[in-house]
């Protein structure tokens, strides 16, 4: 079954059952264009980091066992002091390190390269696992550093400016003692033929295998309560309440959580008495607005920082009567340049001076406000537009609940319930992350002319589907209160 790698071990720390399952490939595979982009960019960042160590020897081979053997061979050569992609296998554990460097006292400095823009606690766990496997291999790590991306890097700068290096030696040393102390038990439980018995805990809430583990065949789980805090989760678990109907009377819940609980117990949907008023406060013409954007690790255009979110397209449906679209506007950026100013100008042109601008979630309002800051000469018009934005997700969350929402309020969760005949299944691109990745691939020059034209059409269809979804949701809510 191979060795216990970093992912398996760190999953084990979260939950022994999760570690056991991940070792056996039982976790859902990450697929789609968005995952392809993350992998591509992550690999690219690592290769750029190697340029900072021009004398380093690359120990990478196609297979882990070959790479580990080659690493040992290189370590015997006293002239070699720095290695990239060095691999180690010991006592059933394996790791492929980013960069290791031999110091004057014959100890080693380990570097962990990350694509993020700031320090995260989980990065220390990653470095510590590498240090643990090296220690089991007889390699003494005395210094540990995190290399993450610098927010002030720009395309015209030397690649040496791309990274900031943070000394994490003390943090890793403390965590290493903990990892070493539990490594034998972890190996025994992970390699056991019998899966560790799962039990409900707060980390189950976002677990990738929850639906086939602790959530299997459980109806109305407490995790269906929106925004349930960690202390509340732990208290309910202590009380033995794994489903909403088991929550004791008097247990403190937020107003929204209480609405969900009441719907579960009664079996009826919730319709707020304020829904009709809030819908009536919307002013015609109605504009239904949706943005798409990209956030790449490495900047794609000049004067843009790593991880900067850039708007790339929008869709607008204009309506004078609920449920009927009178005009449709759409825009997709020229991939050869940063088009944020052009987007701002088009928004001012298409959205006019009156009427409610309906979005789903607050991203569009925030994005428009950022455009106003970016372009002071357009700020007055853009800020007026932002003031007209109505977040339909908030409106739905406050005023309407169906138990089939399962505590969620995103458009992808509520749309199939409100408008069963409308979905994204027939679209070539049907998810925001994939839409962003597709546009990024165009900018990176990975698509030919025919593929670019096809992708643009698919992107426009996807964005248009989001605005049409809002039209349908508005119509559903209107019909609901009128009935």
């Amino acid at each position: 079954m191979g060795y216990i790698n970093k992912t398996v071990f760190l999953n084990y720390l979260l939950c022994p059952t999760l570690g056991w399952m991940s070792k056996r490939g039982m976790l859902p595979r990450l697929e789609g264009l968005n995952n392809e982009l993350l992998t591509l960019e992550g690999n690219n960042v690592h290769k750029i980091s190697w340029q900072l160590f021009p004398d380093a020897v690359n120990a990478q081979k196609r297979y882990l066992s070959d790479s580990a053997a080659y690493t040992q061979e290189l370590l015997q050569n006293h002239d070699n002091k720095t290695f990239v992609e060095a691999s180690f296998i010991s006592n059933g554990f394996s790791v492929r390190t980013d960069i290791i460097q031999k110091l004057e006292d014959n100890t080693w400095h380990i570097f962990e390269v990350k694509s993020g823009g700031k320090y995260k606690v989980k990065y220390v766990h990653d470095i510590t696992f590498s240090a643990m496997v090296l220690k089991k291999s007889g390699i003494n790590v005395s210094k540990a550093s995190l290399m993450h991306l610098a927010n002030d890097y720009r395309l015209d700068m030397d690649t040496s400016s791309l990274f900031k290096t943070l000394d994490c030696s003390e943090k890793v040393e403390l965590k290493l003692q903990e990892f070493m102390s539990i490594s034998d038990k972890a190996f025994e439980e992970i390699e056991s033929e019998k899966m560790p018995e799962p039990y409900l805990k707060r980390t189950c809430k976002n677990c990738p295998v929850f639906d086939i583990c602790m959530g299997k065949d459980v109806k109305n789980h407490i995790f269906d309560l929106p925004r349930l805090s960690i202390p509340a989760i732990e208290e309910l678990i202590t009380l033995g309440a794994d489903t909403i109907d088991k929550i004791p009377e008097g247990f403190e819940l937020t107003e929204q959580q209480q609405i969900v609980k009441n719907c579960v117990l009664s079996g009826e949907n919730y319709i707020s008495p304020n829904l009709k008023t809030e819908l009536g406060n919307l002013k015609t013409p109605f504009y239904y607005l949706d943005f798409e954007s990209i956030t790449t690790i490495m900047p794609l255009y000049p004067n843009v920082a790593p991880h900067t979110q850039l708007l790339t397209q929008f869709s607008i449906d204009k309506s004078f009567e609920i449920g009927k679209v009178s005009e449709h506007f759409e825009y997709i950026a020229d991939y050869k340049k940063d088009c944020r100013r052009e987007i701002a100008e088009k928004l001012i042109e298409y959205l006019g001076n009156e009427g409610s601008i309906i979005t789903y979630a607050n991203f569009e309002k925030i994005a428009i406000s950022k455009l106003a800051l970016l372009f002071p000469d357009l700020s007055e018009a853009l800020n007026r537009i932002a003031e007209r934005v109505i977040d339909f997700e908030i409106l739905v969350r406050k005023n309407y609940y169906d138990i089939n929402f399962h505590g969620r309020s995103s458009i992808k969760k509520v749309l199939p319930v409100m408008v069963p005949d409308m979905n994204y299944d027939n679209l070539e691109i049907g998810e925001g992350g994939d839409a962003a990745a597709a546009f990024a691939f165009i900018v990176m020059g990975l698509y030919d002319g025919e593929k670019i034209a096809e992708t643009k059409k698919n992107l426009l269809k996807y964005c248009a589907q989001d605005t049409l979804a809002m039209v349908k949701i508005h119509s559903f809510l209107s019909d609901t209160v009128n009935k």
Side-chain angles (χ1 to χ4, degrees), residues 319-456:
S319 174
F320 289 92
E321 184 179 348
I322 296 174
K324 294 183 179 181
V325 177
S326 59
E327 286 185 89
H328 175 75
F329 308 98
E330 60 187 17
Y331 172 91
I332 190 163
D334 178 353
Y335 66 90
K336 298 176 183 177
K337 61 182 181 179
D338 177 1
C339 290
R340 283 177 289 180
R341 182 175 181 89
E342 190 171 324
I343 287 174
E345 292 170 342
K346 290 293 184 182
L347 289 172
I348 294 170
E349 176 186 349
Y350 293 151
L351 291 172
N353 297 313
E354 58 183 19
S356 295
I357 300 169
I358 297 167
T359 67
Y360 208 93
N362 65 348
F363 170 65
E364 280 73 16
K365 185 170 185 175
I366 292 173
I368 292 169
S369 298
K370 287 182 177 179
L371 288 175
L373 292 173
L374 191 60
F375 306 112
D377 59 314
L378 303 178
S379 62
E380 185 177 348
L382 289 169
N383 284 328
R384 284 200 302 267
I385 289 173
E387 290 171 358
R388 293 159 52 203
V389 171
I390 304 296
D391 181 353
F392 245 37
E393 183 174 16
I394 293 178
L395 186 146
V396 169
R397 193 184 297 153
K398 290 193 307 180
N399 296 289
Y400 186 85
Y401 186 76
D402 186 306
I403 57 173
N404 293 303
F405 291 170
H406 296 290
R408 309 298 187 266
S409 59
S410 70
I411 197 167
K412 295 293 175 61
K413 295 294 183 181
V414 305
L415 183 65
V417 179
M418 293 181 171
V419 193
D421 61 342
M422 185 177 182
N423 57 57
Y424 292 73
D425 296 342
N426 62 333
L427 299 180
E428 291 295 325
I429 295 175
E431 194 273 325
D434 287 346
F439 192 89
F441 288 152
I442 293 175
V443 181
M444 292 174 179
L446 301 181
Y447 290 169
D448 60 23
E450 183 178 347
K451 182 68 172 177
I452 290 173
E454 177 189 358
T455 302
K456 282 185 174 182

Side-chain angles (χ1 to χ4, degrees), residues 27 39 49 131 138 209 233 241 397 406 482:
L27 273 59
T39 301
S49 72
V209 294
I233 292 173
R397 193 184 297 153
H406 296 290
N482 289 331

